[in-house]
Amino acid sequence: IFDSCFAVHDIKIIEGTNGPFIAMPSRKTPEGEFKDIAHPINPETRALISSAILEAYEKALKEE
């Protein structure tokens, strides 16, 4: 939830070969490709969102 007024669902955390990363909500096209349906429009915003999500994820894992 951004600024208590906008929610984005279905962001996934994927364990990659270089550690976890986030995947934005997407849908499959008729050609079989996946296209993001919600995403940051610049690298700085992507890094900010990714950092916040992965930080919360790591915190949740430690609390288990």
Side-chain angles (χ1 to χ4, degrees), residues 5-54:
C5 62
F6 187 79
V8 178
H9 297 275
D10 296 326
I11 293 176
K12 296 172 182 71
I13 298 172
I14 299 172
E15 289 291 337
T17 55
N18 296 321
F21 66 94
I22 64 166
M24 290 298 185
S26 61
R27 78 175 126 197
K28 195 172 186 179
T29 67
E31 294 79 27
E33 294 180 275
F34 286 92
K35 296 285 186 175
D36 288 350
I37 56 175
H39 58 86
I41 59 171
N42 59 52
E44 296 81 15
T45 303
R46 179 175 289 276
L48 180 67
I49 292 170
S50 180
S51 175
I53 290 169
L54 292 174

